[in-house]
Amino acid sequence: MNNSIRFYVFGALMIGLASGCTNKAVELHNGIWRGTLTTDSTVDIPFNFEVYDSLGKKQVAFLNGRERLNINDVTETPDSVFISTPLYEGEIRALKSTEGLVGTWIKHLPGKTITMPFSAEANQNYRFVKTADTGQVNVTGRWSVQFYKGMDTTFAVGEFEQSGSQVTGSFLTTTGDYRFLSGVIDRNTFMVSAFSGSNPMLFTADITDQDNLLNGKLYAGPGTVMRWSARRDEDAMLPDAYKIAGLKSGNDRISFRFNDLDGNAVSLDDKRFQDKVVIVQFMGSWCPNCMDETAFLAPFYDQYKTKGVEVIGLAYERYKEPEKAKAAVLHLKDRFQVHYPLLLTGYTNDKGQVEESIPALDNFSAFPTTIIIDKSGAVYKIHTGFNGPATGKHYTDFVQEFKHEIDSLLAQ
């Protein structure tokens, strides 16, 4: 279904329900709701959210495993509900009905808008099935994963915890993780999903035996479908994140000059960064893994700025228009209380444009990428991707190692 048809259907639905069902419509009840987004192939991606009151106003929290993402931009009318997620440039527009909520999830992208049918039912805290059969296999542990897209294969590591029939975990890749996934084991079927206002995802697979997940399907957004499989492997590892990107031969440092959000030019040559350990974050407000990294770097900077550490965020946005890019980055800055400078590079999130903007870079492959610069101004290490809190011990180990690296550079 193309976008124009989706909006036509949504408009017709609005008119029909508003004219005939308003008096019978349910309220936006506080409590746990079960929502679904329907793909182009009519597969439902389920998720849960909580409606609650804060200072006399309705708010929503998307629930995925241990993650709780609070959204305070909720508007309710007698017959409709509007949930806006400005950080993700998305929104849910829904009508109240006797069954709950029905409407559309809308995501705004440069040059296009994507939509998916949305529905939700109140007082339902299950995600996939009300009563699941745990089956004979427990998937807790580490898995070697292959994703197949056409003739290309991508390697990942899956880590899951199962309690009863409930499963949480994530997939780790060289560019970052799939964040918080939550679901169930029902007999011989593995099912996990995630939605926090952006990037709806559903993973399914057949549990063929104790050590294999086969016939896997990944549904992402309205139209992406990818095959995958997994084999239990407690020794599965990703390539070293510090050995993916580098500098071109003959270079030992990077340089740039971009404007901050107030229009002031900022360069590594500025006095503020001299004789300091500097962390340069390549990021974008559109990037969920970048948000996880920003959530780590913001308090890290507040803790370390008096010790001789500076952080600079280089924003590569989807929009070339300066005002649109600035508005998107401001949302991220406010959301995570970022006190280090965020610079508008004027380049988009095309990886080729990143190397164009910083010619010394070689093999830049992912957002986020983080460069650590020592006190002399030389590049010390380059870290590709970011595996956030959803990866559990991997995240805590990274935080510990990162702080150890910075402390060692400060001591030199």
Side-chain angles (χ1 to χ4, degrees):
M1 185 182 293
N2 64 38
N3 290 330
S4 60
I5 295 176
R6 287 186 192 276
F7 279 114
Y8 174 79
V9 171
F10 179 72
L13 182 64
M14 290 284 284
I15 294 170
L17 286 178
S19 62
C21 300
T22 301
N23 293 332
K24 299 179 181 179
V26 300
E27 296 181 6
L28 189 61
H29 291 294
N30 287 353
I32 306 298
W33 290 62
R34 179 181 186 264
T36 61
L37 296 172
T38 304
T39 69
D40 292 342
S41 53
T42 68
V43 173
D44 285 341
I45 300 179
F47 63 98
N48 298 105
F49 61 94
E50 181 180 4
V51 177
Y52 62 100
D53 290 318
S54 179
L55 301 176
K57 187 178 183 300
K58 292 291 185 186
Q59 300 199 6
V60 166
F62 292 109
L63 308 174
N64 297 284
R66 293 181 288 107
E67 180 188 48
R68 178 187 177 92
L69 183 63
N70 298 307
I71 304 297
N72 56 23
D73 193 348
V74 180
T75 303
E76 184 180 10
T77 68
D79 58 13
S80 305
V81 176
F82 303 89
I83 303 170
S84 179
T85 54
L87 192 62
Y88 293 117
E89 299 179 286
E91 58 184 317
I92 291 174
R93 302 177 185 176
L95 283 168
K96 301 172 183 176
S97 75
T98 54
E99 303 301 322
L101 300 176
V102 59
T104 306
W105 171 63
I106 305 165
K107 185 173 179 65
H108 306 283
L109 297 171
K112 68 176 181 178
T113 298
I114 63 173
T115 64
M116 296 178 72
F118 160 81
S119 64
E121 186 179 0
N123 302 316
Q124 300 294 340
N125 60 7
Y126 75 97
R127 200 173 188 94
F128 287 93
V129 291
K130 289 185 177 180
T131 303
D133 184 337
T134 58
Q136 301 299 313
V137 175
N138 189 303
V139 300
T140 297
R142 195 171 178 86
W143 298 74
S144 175
V145 182
Q146 303 281 343
F147 287 100
Y148 311 100
K149 187 174 182 179
M151 300 298 292
D152 296 328
T153 301
T154 302
F155 175 72
V157 174
E159 288 216 337
F160 305 104
E161 294 182 7
Q162 181 179 344
S163 176
S165 62
Q166 302 300 303
V167 176
T168 58
S170 192
F171 294 93
L172 294 72
T173 76
T174 56
T175 59
D177 64 277
Y178 279 88
R179 309 190 78 244
F180 293 90
L181 301 173
S182 180
V184 297
I185 300 300
D186 185 28
R187 297 184 180 179
N188 294 320
T189 304
F190 171 95
M191 298 178 285
V192 294
S193 65
F195 178 69
S196 55
S198 182
N199 304 320
M201 291 179 291
L202 165 65
F203 298 82
T204 66
D206 296 331
I207 304 173
T208 58
D209 55 46
Q210 184 71 30
D211 297 318
N212 290 281
L213 302 175
L214 299 179
N215 304 316
K217 291 284 186 67
L218 160 60
Y219 301 90
T224 298
V225 183
M226 190 181 301
R227 296 180 300 113
W228 66 277
S229 64
R231 175 178 52 82
R232 192 184 294 275
D233 182 358
E234 296 303 326
D235 296 321
M237 294 186 65
L238 293 171
D240 188 341
Y242 287 105
K243 295 182 179 179
I244 297 174
L247 298 180
K248 292 184 176 69
S249 178
N251 293 275
D252 68 349
R253 58 197 64 214
I254 62 171
S255 64
F256 54 80
R257 190 173 189 84
F258 302 121
N259 287 347
D260 64 16
L261 297 176
D262 295 320
N264 302 310
V266 176
S267 165
L268 284 172
D269 294 328
D270 295 344
K271 185 177 180 180
R272 171 178 179 173
F273 307 111
Q274 301 306 302
D275 301 317
K276 300 280 187 69
V277 173
V278 181
I279 299 159
V280 180
Q281 175 195 25
F282 289 74
M283 47 77 71
S285 64
W286 48 270
C287 163
N289 293 127
C290 299
M291 294 181 194
D292 282 342
E293 185 182 55
T294 303
F296 160 67
L297 283 177
F300 169 84
Y301 174 68
D302 291 342
Q303 178 186 359
Y304 272 76
K305 62 184 178 181
T306 58
K307 299 180 180 182
V309 173
E310 290 290 342
V311 179
I312 307 172
L314 302 185
Y316 292 83
E317 295 300 304
R318 286 173 165 158
Y319 299 101
K320 289 186 177 180
E321 300 88 341
E323 288 308 310
K324 288 185 177 181
K326 179 179 177 179
V329 176
L330 277 171
H331 280 304
L332 180 137
K333 175 183 173 68
D334 293 341
R335 176 88 188 192
F336 297 106
Q337 294 296 295
V338 179
H339 299 134
Y340 55 83
L342 298 174
L343 310 187
L344 300 173
T345 64
Y347 293 85
T348 70
N349 59 319
D350 179 270
K351 297 179 180 65
Q353 288 199 13
V354 176
E355 293 193 8
E356 179 184 340
S357 68
I358 313 287
L361 278 177
D362 187 39
N363 198 36
F364 182 94
S365 60
F367 290 96
T369 288
T370 306
I371 297 181
I372 302 173
I373 298 173
D374 67 21
K375 292 180 183 179
S376 73
V379 170
Y380 173 66
K381 284 186 175 182
I382 301 178
H383 186 279
T384 297
F386 187 80
N387 288 311
T391 65
K393 187 176 185 298
H394 297 282
Y395 172 70
T396 56
D397 286 349
F398 166 81
V399 170
Q400 183 178 357
E401 292 167 6
F402 185 84
K403 289 183 176 180
H404 176 74
E405 295 276 15
I406 300 304
D407 288 336
S408 296
L409 288 177
L410 289 172
Q412 291 180 4

